[in-house]
Amino acid sequence: MNKKFWKSGDPFVWLTGVALMFSLLMIAGLLYLIAAKGLGFFWPANLAEIQLKDGSKVLGEITGHEKVKGYDAADDEPLIERTQLKIGNRDLYGLDFRWVDDDQIQNISYPKYAVALERREWGNMYGFIKEITDSGNAVCRGNEECWPVLETQIPKYQKIADEIKSIEKGVIGGINAQIENLRLDIRGLEMKGGDNREEILKIQAKINEEEEKYKEQEAVLSSLYTEFNKEKIVMAAADGREKEMPVGNIVRAYRPNGMSWFQKAFLYTSKVWEFISAEPREANTEGGVFPAIFGTVLMVLIMSVVVLPFGVVAALYLREYAKQGVLVRTVRICVNNLAGVPSIVFGVFAVGFFIYGMGSTIDSIFFREALPNPTYGTGGILWASLTLALLTVPVVIVATEEGLAAVPKEIRDGSLALGATKFETTWKIVIPSAMPAILTGLILAIARATGEVAPLMITGVVKLAPQLPIDSYFPYMHLERKFMHLGFHIYDVGFQSPNVEAAKPMVYTTALLLILIVVVLNLTAIIIRNRLRKKYTTSAV
């Protein structure tokens, strides 16, 4: 009986089923953990005012509760319970979070007028409005009187902030770029030699014009900053300490204890949108991650454009044209082993080959006037993309070879018998038939490239990129620029931030976003693969 049972193969079927079940459970558990920790970050939690037995008060969001061993407690003493609050007001307290022992709590209330302010600097502020002043004169006093004024003024100052940003990054950035280009033109003429004084004087005149424009924009900026800091708000913390700050420093204000569920849902949506579409603030622990999303997607697209033709051509040669023998088998083994090389090794190779080799050569030929400042001889999105292309090309080669090997010999013979050449048979019959396998290799390459971080850390990724690789200035796509990446953003916020507790939710939300981007990129490739499969299958028939 037992012998028949083992020979039947049923235990193996159960074993594979259990292995699959555990794999799915682990994936589901990971996604649940990330989603639960990340998605809840944007929900506007109520502000609890805790009255302690020593008479002091604490105001903040309740973010955790745990049982711990008391300080200097004996081994047999029971654990004490304590509650974690996000108290904000970093400029007043020097920290964002505080633990309160439950046995020290006398009373917990949720004041209706407690205000949460999201600021451009110093993180959140929790407290009560004392007054708003305009050029030193009181505009209003108290929570009830000042709340409508504050709600009206925040959009006005947001427009001023947007205008300042537009001038600093747009207009002044463009003027600086133009001045730099003109200076490089002068340097180029000087290096060229000869009598170029007239041309240099013309260029210098253009530089003077640009500098005049710069001064005009500086005056506009000065006026805007004066307006931006005109009105001040005085906030009172729960312990009575006061803080005065410009109203323009406030990004968002809300009173969560008085909000309905729908009002909170609307606010939650706006905060999620800000996270996706805005630039980061506060050393990447606040605001959005749009530059990181843009950098990640652009890098993967450039990598895909490079790795797909390169991998397919290499696989075609190995399978269709190369004489099968020891050498080809050795090359295949090397390609397969290349997929197992640690990614940081590719990064080190890229620094030597792409950046110091190709980049320095490009600089010496096309950007001589900019030297010794490197243009392509330093890390950038192009070199990072090529590094990932090199990293993932074995995946595409192996998948393509598998696809080419699966094309029936009868189809090739039929094509050749009808008078087609070897190239025509390969181009019009073999490659379309292998297209699903080719795109499967590309999908695997995208999945791996999107999550890689180690080689990027030495080939172009940075904590904060002042400019995107694409803008409105010629040549519009600046592949030499450094860029932000979601994977590196997670590492930076989670392990390099001085305020780990405040950065923790950002780690989960960014990780969730990175997973969603990987899923979207893969789904896009799968849809394209299915469409091409249908198209080429029909045309091949």
Side-chain angles (χ1 to χ4, degrees), residues 12-28:
F12 182 72
V13 175
W14 279 100
L15 182 66
T16 53
V18 170
L20 176 64
M21 182 189 71
F22 274 111
S23 301
L24 293 176
L25 282 176
M26 284 192 289
I27 293 170

Side-chain angles (χ1 to χ4, degrees), residues 279-298:
E279 295 185 358
R281 307 190 305 267
E282 296 281 307
N284 293 350
T285 59
E286 303 279 349
V289 292
F290 176 74
I293 297 173
F294 190 89
T296 305
V297 173
L298 182 61

Side-chain angles (χ1 to χ4, degrees), residues 72-114:
D72 282 343
D75 292 339
D76 56 348
E77 286 188 34
L79 299 176
I80 63 170
E81 296 188 34
R82 63 177 189 172
T83 301
Q84 187 190 45
L85 279 93
K86 183 181 180 182
I87 57 175
N89 307 357
R90 195 186 311 150
D91 40 352
L92 290 178
Y93 304 140
L95 70 167
D96 284 291
F97 291 83
R98 176 179 171 179
W99 286 98
V100 177
D101 293 343
D102 286 5
D103 59 359
Q104 297 300 313
I105 296 175
Q106 188 174 33
N107 180 42
I108 300 179
S109 61
Y110 294 88
K112 179 183 175 184
Y113 298 124

Side-chain angles (χ1 to χ4, degrees), residues 5 94 260 279 307 345 519 525:
F5 174 73
S260 65
E279 295 185 358
V307 76
V345 176
V519 170

Side-chain angles (χ1 to χ4, degrees), residues 271-526:
K271 291 171 91 172
V272 170
W273 174 245
E274 182 196 25
F275 175 69
I276 297 171
S277 62
E279 295 185 358
R281 307 190 305 267
E282 296 281 307
N284 293 350
T285 59
E286 303 279 349
V289 292
F290 176 74
I293 297 173
F294 190 89
T296 305
V297 173
L298 182 61
M299 181 200 68
V300 171
L301 290 178
I302 296 173
M303 183 277 301
S304 302
V305 168
V306 174
V307 76
L308 185 61
F310 186 66
V312 170
V313 168
L316 272 174
Y317 181 79
L318 285 174
R319 178 59 61 178
E320 299 293 324
Y321 294 102
K323 185 180 178 182
Q324 304 300 313
V326 176
L327 180 61
V328 171
R329 284 200 299 274
T330 306
V331 170
R332 281 203 184 94
I333 292 170
C334 292
V335 168
N336 291 333
N337 288 333
L338 202 60
V341 174
S343 58
I344 189 65
V345 176
F346 285 93
V348 173
F349 171 79
V351 170
F353 182 74
F354 290 132
I355 296 177
Y356 293 146
M358 292 179 66
S360 297
T361 306
I362 291 172
D363 284 351
S364 63
I365 296 173
F366 298 104
F367 301 97
R368 289 176 56 205
E369 62 277 6
L371 293 173
N373 295 326
T375 304
Y376 280 90
T378 183
I381 193 167
L382 175 63
W383 304 135
S385 303
L386 291 182
T387 306
L388 292 183
L390 195 63
L391 178 73
T392 55
V393 73
V395 178
V396 178
I397 292 176
V398 171
T400 304
E401 271 213 273
E402 293 294 329
L404 295 173
V407 177
K409 186 174 180 297
E410 291 77 8
I411 294 180
R412 301 166 193 262
D413 294 342
S415 175
L416 294 171
L418 290 172
T421 62
K422 172 81 172 174
F423 171 75
E424 288 172 333
T425 301
T426 303
W427 184 251
K428 295 186 177 179
I429 303 297
V430 177
I431 293 180
S433 300
M435 190 56 73
I438 294 171
L439 290 179
T440 299
L442 179 63
I443 291 167
L444 295 172
I446 288 174
R448 181 170 184 191
T450 310
E452 278 293 345
V453 174
L456 306 182
M457 293 169 70
I458 51 178
T459 55
V461 76
V462 289
K463 175 187 178 73
L464 189 62
Q467 294 171 309
L468 295 176
I470 296 177
D471 60 21
S472 58
Y473 301 108
F474 184 80
Y476 310 116
M477 181 176 275
H478 306 272
L479 296 178
E480 79 283 4
R481 284 184 183 168
K482 298 184 187 301
F483 66 105
M484 294 179 69
H485 183 269
L486 283 172
F488 181 77
H489 187 80
I490 294 170
Y491 164 77
D492 175 61
V493 172
F495 299 98
Q496 302 295 312
S497 173
N499 195 346
V500 177
E501 284 293 336
K504 202 185 294 179
M506 186 64 82
V507 172
Y508 287 111
T509 49
T510 310
L512 181 63
L513 184 62
L514 181 59
I515 291 172
L516 289 176
I517 287 178
V518 172
V519 170
V520 169
L521 289 172
N522 279 292
L523 283 178
T524 306
I526 289 170

Side-chain angles (χ1 to χ4, degrees), residues 42 67 78 105 116 120 161 193 196 201 237 256 262 346 379 393 504:
F42 300 108
K67 291 182 179 179
I105 296 175
R120 301 181 199 280
N196 300 315
L201 286 174
F262 289 103
F346 285 93
V393 73
K504 202 185 294 179

